[in-house]
Amino acid sequence: MLIPFIPFFPNSSMAPPKKLKGLVAATITPMTPDGKINLPVIRQYVDYLVNEQNVKNVFVNGTTGEGLSLSIQERKQLAEEWMCQGKDKLDHVIIHVGALNLPECQELARHAAAIGADGIAVIAPFFFKPTNKGRELSQNRPVFPHMRLLFWTVRVEELLDGIKAQIPTFQGVKFSDTDLLDLAQCIHKNGTGEFEFLYGVDEQLLGALALGANGAVGSTYNYLGRQTNLMLQAFAKPDFALAQQYQFLTGEFLNFVIKLGFGVAQTKAVMTSVSGIPMGPPRLPLVAASGEFIAKAKAKLDSIVWPNGD
């Protein structure tokens, strides 16, 4: 399966990297009607996440952000804008730098370091795939002085074996798979708490938390962040019955829209509807969500009565 992982840039040579936990919004890339990135919207977007959803960590240029449909220059511009607008407001800005070729990945990683990002994430190769993990570890090393990158496709449990020796700044994994056995084995082996495990399947987050996940990266936290934060609080009390209610209702909404056809374009439409921030259309070859989908998704979300009375 494809394994993104998250190394962090220490803020200084003296201080350890900040711990990343809780919710991380997989950010959407706002676009104008003609398909250009809409940078001025980012300021409003940051304020909405912080003030309305209580989400202060973001994951930029990932799948939800259509990162692989953007040019290298566009990805750099987005990263810079999130860093600029998130200064003194966001706790962590994580930049996804994965690409289909290593030189572009290295270029994006150096750029993320130069603008002061809190960390980078890299998705494993998904077209040309390496066949030997050990060989890839030894051959794909320097990216910039304080960071090393490596990409391959394996179970996460295998990925973690010996990785710290090869990549000293490696910090953890964005686990975007439903294989909770793999996640459980990773967390079980991580008895010292050296690594962080952020879960990426929003409708199964509660199960991952029960196994010991530190937090989550997901698209629904753009517009359901406040409710999911309440689920995290209920889990921590612990009030498992209340936490279950939040998870079941999130699942009810996602089950409904998945049956209608739910992807990046539909996520942009839902976010626009809920937040009032114009996210615009997706970039081709994706096409915009239909009016029928938007109406049905909005009606479904409006019909849900959350435990806090919303």
Side-chain angles (χ1 to χ4, degrees):
M1 67 188 184
L2 301 179
I3 308 300
F5 62 90
I6 307 175
F8 283 77
F9 309 122
N11 294 325
S12 74
S13 59
M14 300 298 293
K18 296 178 290 184
K19 288 290 185 180
L20 179 58
K21 59 183 180 179
L23 299 184
V24 184
T27 61
I28 296 161
T29 296
M31 292 185 182
T32 61
D34 58 354
K36 297 178 181 178
I37 59 173
N38 191 0
L39 293 177
V41 170
I42 302 297
R43 180 176 182 178
Q44 183 182 3
Y45 194 168
V46 170
D47 289 341
Y48 175 80
L49 288 177
V50 173
N51 298 327
E52 300 297 327
Q53 299 298 334
N54 193 27
V55 172
K56 297 183 179 181
N57 306 302
V58 295
F59 184 96
V60 178
N61 287 335
T63 301
T64 301
E66 303 172 81
L68 293 176
S69 290
L70 305 176
S71 70
I72 297 300
Q73 185 59 32
E74 287 174 324
R75 292 174 70 172
K76 288 181 179 180
Q77 290 173 339
L78 278 164
E80 290 169 6
E81 192 67 15
W82 276 100
M83 287 299 299
C84 177
Q85 300 302 332
K87 185 178 181 181
D88 300 324
K89 295 179 180 179
L90 297 173
D91 291 337
H92 292 90
V93 177
I94 310 301
I95 309 297
H96 176 249
V97 301
L100 289 176
N101 65 81
L102 185 58
E104 287 186 354
C105 179
Q106 292 172 323
E107 180 181 347
L108 289 167
R110 293 187 186 100
H111 177 262
I115 64 176
D118 298 285
I120 59 173
V122 185
I123 192 169
F126 53 89
F127 192 81
F128 293 116
K129 302 178 182 180
T131 57
N132 186 301
K133 182 186 74 168
R135 184 175 300 168
E136 293 300 312
L137 261 173
S138 64
Q139 291 179 352
N140 291 319
R141 288 192 174 186
V143 176
F144 52 84
H146 303 295
M147 175 58 58
R148 298 181 179 188
L149 293 176
L150 172 68
F151 321 95
W152 67 88
T153 305
V154 292
R155 285 174 60 86
V156 183
E157 183 182 359
E158 298 173 27
L159 168 70
L160 298 181
D161 290 338
I163 195 170
K164 202 71 172 179
Q166 295 289 347
I167 308 175
T169 48
F170 180 86
Q171 193 74 13
V173 176
K174 174 182 178 286
F175 193 99
S176 297
D177 194 274
T178 57
D179 185 353
L180 292 180
L181 173 60
D182 189 12
L183 176 64
Q185 289 300 299
C186 293
I187 294 173
H188 177 61
K189 287 185 174 182
N190 186 46
T192 60
E194 182 180 18
F195 301 133
E196 295 160 15
F197 295 91
L198 305 174
Y199 197 57
V201 184
D202 302 13
E203 60 270 32
Q204 295 185 1
L205 174 56
L206 186 57
L209 292 175
L211 290 172
N214 304 95
V217 180
S219 60
T220 65
Y221 313 136
N222 285 289
Y223 53 88
L224 292 178
R226 188 163 57 84
Q227 290 89 341
T228 309
N229 270 312
L230 291 171
M231 184 183 82
L232 296 183
Q233 292 174 22
F235 177 79
K237 281 184 178 179
D239 185 339
F240 298 130
L242 180 58
Q244 279 183 324
Q245 289 183 57
Y246 281 107
Q247 185 70 93
F248 289 157
L249 290 172
T250 297
E252 181 181 329
F253 172 71
L254 288 174
N255 187 52
F256 178 83
V257 292
I258 286 170
K259 289 178 179 177
L260 297 177
F262 192 59
V264 170
Q266 290 72 27
T267 295
K268 297 185 93 164
V270 171
M271 179 61 173
T272 298
S273 175
V274 173
S275 69
I277 303 171
M279 292 297 163
R283 177 159 289 180
L284 291 171
L286 299 180
V287 296
S290 67
E292 180 183 11
F293 170 86
I294 295 170
K296 288 183 176 179
K298 183 179 186 304
K300 180 61 178 178
L301 198 54
D302 289 345
S303 72
I304 295 176
V305 179
W306 300 90
N308 60 358
D310 288 350

